[in-house]
Amino acid sequence: MNDPLFSVKNRIVAVTGGLGQLGKQFSAALLGRGARVAILDLNVDNTELPEVFQQYRDNGNLVLIGTDITKRDSLEDALDIVCNTWGEAPHGLINNAALDSPPSAPPEETGPFETFPVDSWDRVMDVNVKGVFQACQVFGAKMAEAGKGSIVNIGSTYGIVSPDHRIYEYKSKNGGKPFYKPVVYSASKSALVNFTKYLAVYWGGTGVRTNLLALGGVFNNQDAEFLSGYCARVPLGRMANEDEYNGTVIYLMSDASSYMTGATIMLDGGWTAW
Ligand SMILES: NC(=O)c1ccc[n+]([C@@H]2O[C@H](COP(=O)([O-])OP(=O)(O)OC[C@H]3O[C@@H](n4cnc5c(N)ncnc54)[C@H](O)[C@@H]3O)[C@@H](O)[C@H]2O)c1
């Protein structure tokens, strides 16, 4: 933790979707190592803050900013708050906020490709692609102006390879409707792969690095049939624990990754290795 190579101390990092399952993990890992974190999320006032965050709010290292990443003016307001709070440009941006279809999603969103609703396509693309694009325009531009920084886009294995729909077949065998992982999630996450490379090149001369983490599924009390199907596809034989991506995030926010840009880092327990 004291190794200067991996230090993130005092670095200002904006985490979109920072109140979600992984956003909380990334934020806590950064705060625990002395970074200053701005959580950008919807409804920050109505969300109960994890206890671990309170001390960082009290010592001024954490701000929560109600932000809708689909709206550029909301991101501009958030950047103003970050710069006014700490008096300098952010060092890092983690584009983590995204929409996926939860188990409770309407059946047409997890039904056949041919009837996937165009409204759902637009809603997910708006957050997962346009939101990331706009966050980079607003925060990334400020970082480029400052001549340094690290952008981490959160992708998914499903943006690199297709979901294996066979692992969801048990749902229809149990009397439910056929379930397909939605096409828009894959399409949106795959868009980030080359968007990341585009920005790595575009801002290469400014000192701003841009990389993508392609994450595998995280354990979140999924049902037993899903777990057995999923884990059988993973060489490591299990889903990720929710804190297992933190090390790579710290690495990318630190100088240890100073020569890495435009990379797609697979963090998937080996899912894409065979
Ligand atoms: N959890 C997994 O198994 C998994 C696997 C692979 C990739 N990922 C990716 O990791 C990231 C985090 O996933 P998670 O499981 O923690 O998700 P989550 O649903 O728990 O959190 C997402 C957060 O984004 C916020 N958000 C949604 N729309 C927003 C908007 N318009 N503006 C601002 N914030 C908005 C939500 O309020 C929420 O707090 C996502 O990009 C996801 O696609 C997750």
Side-chain angles (χ1 to χ4, degrees), residues 65-125:
I65 309 171
T67 312
D68 181 347
I69 62 166
T70 66
K71 303 200 161 50
R72 193 182 156 112
D73 56 353
S74 178
L75 285 157
E76 285 167 351
D77 290 347
L79 178 64
D80 284 348
I81 293 171
V82 170
C83 294
N84 292 335
T85 301
W86 290 307
E88 54 186 289
H91 170 85
L93 168 66
I94 303 180
N95 282 308
N96 165 73
L99 298 181
D100 192 3
S101 280
S104 57
E108 60 275 18
E109 277 199 7
T110 53
F113 165 81
E114 290 84 346
T115 50
F116 187 81
V118 76
D119 288 355
S120 306
W121 176 276
D122 289 343
R123 189 171 51 83
V124 173
M125 281 294 191

Side-chain angles (χ1 to χ4, degrees), residues 13-90:
V13 182
V15 183
T16 72
L19 293 178
Q21 187 187 12
L22 293 180
K24 279 191 279 213
Q25 287 292 323
F26 302 154
S27 300
L30 288 160
L31 287 161
R33 288 161 181 79
R36 293 172 284 178
V37 172
I39 285 180
L40 278 47
D41 207 318
L42 303 167
N43 305 323
V44 292
D45 297 331
N46 301 329
T47 308
E48 202 175 324
L49 203 58
E51 208 172 306
V52 62
F53 284 164
Q54 204 54 53
Q55 57 176 303
Y56 300 114
R57 254 189 139 174
D58 294 343
N59 75 9
N61 275 0
L62 171 64
V63 291
L64 275 88
I65 309 171
T67 312
D68 181 347
I69 62 166
T70 66
K71 303 200 161 50
R72 193 182 156 112
D73 56 353
S74 178
L75 285 157
E76 285 167 351
D77 290 347
L79 178 64
D80 284 348
I81 293 171
V82 170
C83 294
N84 292 335
T85 301
W86 290 307
E88 54 186 289

Side-chain angles (χ1 to χ4, degrees), residues 17-260:
L19 293 178
Q21 187 187 12
L22 293 180
K24 279 191 279 213
Q25 287 292 323
F26 302 154
S27 300
L30 288 160
L31 287 161
R33 288 161 181 79
R36 293 172 284 178
V37 172
I39 285 180
L40 278 47
D41 207 318
L42 303 167
N43 305 323
V44 292
D45 297 331
N46 301 329
T47 308
E48 202 175 324
L49 203 58
E51 208 172 306
V52 62
F53 284 164
Q54 204 54 53
Q55 57 176 303
Y56 300 114
R57 254 189 139 174
D58 294 343
N59 75 9
N61 275 0
L62 171 64
V63 291
L64 275 88
I65 309 171
T67 312
D68 181 347
I69 62 166
T70 66
K71 303 200 161 50
R72 193 182 156 112
D73 56 353
S74 178
L75 285 157
E76 285 167 351
D77 290 347
L79 178 64
D80 284 348
I81 293 171
V82 170
C83 294
N84 292 335
T85 301
W86 290 307
E88 54 186 289
H91 170 85
L93 168 66
I94 303 180
N95 282 308
N96 165 73
L99 298 181
D100 192 3
S101 280
S104 57
E108 60 275 18
E109 277 199 7
T110 53
F113 165 81
E114 290 84 346
T115 50
F116 187 81
V118 76
D119 288 355
S120 306
W121 176 276
D122 289 343
R123 189 171 51 83
V124 173
M125 281 294 191
D126 219 28
V127 177
N128 294 14
V129 182
K130 194 175 90 182
V132 174
F133 155 67
Q134 293 189 130
C136 288
Q137 277 192 320
V138 174
F139 277 74
K142 189 75 184 174
M143 290 154 62
E145 193 185 297
K148 62 180 167 53
S150 173
I151 298 172
V152 175
N153 294 326
I154 302 298
S156 163
T157 48
Y158 290 171
I160 307 290
V161 293
S162 170
D164 183 347
H165 299 291
R166 292 171 301 180
I167 67 175
Y168 304 102
E169 275 173 2
Y170 72 93
K171 288 182 184 262
S172 53
K173 284 188 189 135
N174 291 349
K177 292 208 167 18
F179 182 102
Y180 299 94
K181 190 76 185 166
V183 58
V184 67
Y185 185 74
S186 289
S188 66
K189 290 299 186 181
S190 68
L192 297 187
V193 175
N194 205 34
F195 175 72
T196 299
K197 293 178 187 177
Y198 183 99
L199 280 189
V201 172
Y202 182 77
W203 277 328
T206 70
V208 176
R209 301 179 292 107
T210 311
N211 294 289
L212 178 120
L213 300 188
L215 307 182
V218 179
F219 178 71
N220 197 8
N221 296 310
Q222 290 92 342
D223 59 59
E225 283 160 300
F226 171 81
L227 285 174
S228 81
Y230 188 95
C231 296
R233 289 279 282 101
V234 183
L236 288 185
R238 61 179 178 82
M239 300 193 84
N241 297 317
E242 61 182 9
D243 63 355
E244 284 188 293
Y245 301 135
N246 294 348
T248 313
V249 165
I250 297 296
Y251 165 71
L252 288 173
M253 284 300 149
S254 74
D255 290 344
S257 57
S258 57
Y259 201 57
M260 177 174 276

